Amino acid sequence: MKAFVVGPDGTADDFDGRRIFFSFQNFKDEVCRKGNCFVCGAARNRTFNDEHVFPNWLLRLCGLQQETLTLPNGNKVKYGTYKIPCCSACNSLLGDICETPISKVISAGFQATVDFVNTGGANALKVWLCLIFLKVHLRDFKNKIALDNRIPGVIGDEYELGELHHVHAIARAATAGIKIDDDVFGTLALFQIEPPPNADFDYCDNLPGRGMLIRIKDLALLHIIDDCDATAGMLSEKMQYLPHPISGIQLREVYAHYLAANIHIKDRPVFRTEFPYPPKISVDLPELGFHPYEPTVFGKLFAGALGTMAENVVVDGKRGKEAIEIIETGNVSFIFDENGKVKSAHLYQT
């Protein structure tokens, strides 16, 4: 039977010195603040080659190496240089365990990914999505709040790290030999989308809603990380019939519905890492209950998720800020008409 050394703060290592579990305080101090290897916690006294936030194979697939992304502070950085601290050993390990198998599936396209999910691959795909979500937010501990150097602080200073701590545990579990109970995993939805010309990639996420949306060519993956599959049931009737292929703006609407559903869950699942052998992540599931539905929660999430699409949206003849204010009421849909019937997949205004 294998034993573990558990420190006063709850951090656990095996007798070979391998980090099994980061306590919340250890995750906050060593990974988020100090920028140690996000997988094993090593400081930069060993070889580091750092980890791309969006993996190299994905950048090649979508032609993004020399393309730029715009940060919340307005700064533009190349995808190819956008990285977080990772030691060489863990970088190679992540490639073998996670990136290589997932790259083969996603590179094969929409139907191959559907087949992978339907034949037992869903949880592996969810772990990969958690890894992307985690890396995006860890990078914000290097991204300044503002380009003006007189304004102190980084974007990550504003984060609720308890939510990110759980994502970190899921994303790195396989590298530490940790099993994950099936009930721990969240909702995953796949969509085939009609991609805009010359735009093979899109990404957005929401930390308070613990959700993300990533589009790779005509494949869109929506993941709610910590709902233990609850939002899938909550929205099963509403999302039973959707346009196919779904448009970009309709996809953002669907995404906002899932985020809103997760935020409306009253009593949250309680996750924990246990140390039998092998160690595992498990969950206590309370009875599912909901806060009273507030349309503006959905509306604000939808408006916030539109990104650059917002400038092209027309609602009741209004554009720009006026259109966004109407969307924020939660009473606008680009999918359903007033009778709940599905609209055209290509409709971009109401």
Side-chain angles (χ1 to χ4, degrees), residues 193-210:
I193 185 170
E194 188 172 319
N198 304 314
D200 286 339
F201 179 78
D202 193 17
Y203 178 85
C204 61
D205 67 33
N206 185 282
L207 183 57
R210 280 85 63 199

Side-chain angles (χ1 to χ4, degrees), residues 92-148:
S92 296
L93 186 60
L94 281 175
D96 293 340
I97 291 176
C98 192
E99 296 295 353
T100 297
I102 293 300
S103 69
K104 292 176 181 178
V105 173
I106 291 180
S107 297
F110 173 78
Q111 191 55 54
T113 308
V114 171
D115 293 342
F116 178 72
V117 168
N118 289 338
T119 54
N123 288 351
L125 190 55
K126 292 174 186 179
V127 168
W128 180 75
L129 292 169
C130 281
L131 179 61
I132 297 292
F133 184 97
L134 172 68
K135 291 189 291 183
V136 167
H137 289 283
L138 287 182
R139 186 58 173 76
D140 281 340
F141 287 91
K142 291 182 68 177
N143 295 331
K144 292 175 62 64
I145 289 177
L147 296 181
D148 187 339

Side-chain angles (χ1 to χ4, degrees), residues 73-322:
N73 62 15
N75 192 26
K76 293 183 181 294
V77 297
K78 286 185 178 180
Y79 281 97
T81 63
Y82 203 54
K83 300 179 180 181
I84 63 170
C86 185
C87 72
S88 299
C90 287
N91 201 330
S92 296
L93 186 60
L94 281 175
D96 293 340
I97 291 176
C98 192
E99 296 295 353
T100 297
I102 293 300
S103 69
K104 292 176 181 178
V105 173
I106 291 180
S107 297
F110 173 78
Q111 191 55 54
T113 308
V114 171
D115 293 342
F116 178 72
V117 168
N118 289 338
T119 54
N123 288 351
L125 190 55
K126 292 174 186 179
V127 168
W128 180 75
L129 292 169
C130 281
L131 179 61
I132 297 292
F133 184 97
L134 172 68
K135 291 189 291 183
V136 167
H137 289 283
L138 287 182
R139 186 58 173 76
D140 281 340
F141 287 91
K142 291 182 68 177
N143 295 331
K144 292 175 62 64
I145 289 177
L147 296 181
D148 187 339
N149 289 327
R150 295 170 297 179
I151 301 175
V154 294
I155 295 171
D157 291 339
E158 306 298 320
Y159 286 166
E160 169 48 63
L161 293 181
E163 297 164 349
L164 202 58
H165 183 230
H166 169 63
V167 182
H168 179 254
I170 297 294
R172 65 173 298 274
T175 69
I178 298 175
K179 304 297 182 184
I180 306 174
D181 285 350
D182 286 343
D183 287 346
V184 168
F185 289 102
T187 294
L188 174 66
L190 281 67
F191 305 91
Q192 190 169 29
I193 185 170
E194 188 172 319
N198 304 314
D200 286 339
F201 179 78
D202 193 17
Y203 178 85
C204 61
D205 67 33
N206 185 282
L207 183 57
R210 280 85 63 199
M212 61 178 291
L213 177 66
I214 186 169
R215 179 179 61 77
I216 304 163
K217 298 193 172 182
D218 69 337
L219 166 67
L221 302 165
L222 188 160
H223 185 35
I224 301 298
I225 294 171
D226 69 340
D227 70 328
C228 301
D229 222 21
T231 60
M234 294 163 68
L235 296 172
S236 59
E237 185 175 346
K238 188 177 189 68
M239 300 298 168
Q240 185 175 8
Y241 299 105
L242 292 172
H244 181 80
I246 196 167
S247 73
I249 198 168
Q250 291 169 330
L251 182 63
R252 296 299 177 102
E253 179 179 338
V254 170
Y255 166 63
H257 276 297
Y258 276 92
L259 290 175
N262 194 31
I263 288 172
H264 277 89
I265 294 174
K266 188 173 183 180
D267 296 310
R268 305 302 309 180
V270 178
F271 302 100
R272 62 183 180 275
T273 300
E274 302 174 321
F275 301 102
Y277 187 77
K280 69 175 182 177
I281 299 173
S282 60
V283 61
D284 290 328
L285 291 172
E287 183 177 349
L288 189 60
F290 314 103
H291 295 292
Y293 180 69
E294 176 50 63
T296 58
V297 171
F298 159 71
K300 290 178 180 179
L301 289 167
F302 185 18
L306 287 174
T308 57
M309 295 180 187
E311 58 195 45
N312 297 320
V313 171
V314 180
V315 181
D316 296 337
K318 307 293 185 182
R319 293 180 179 272
K321 183 179 178 181
E322 290 181 302

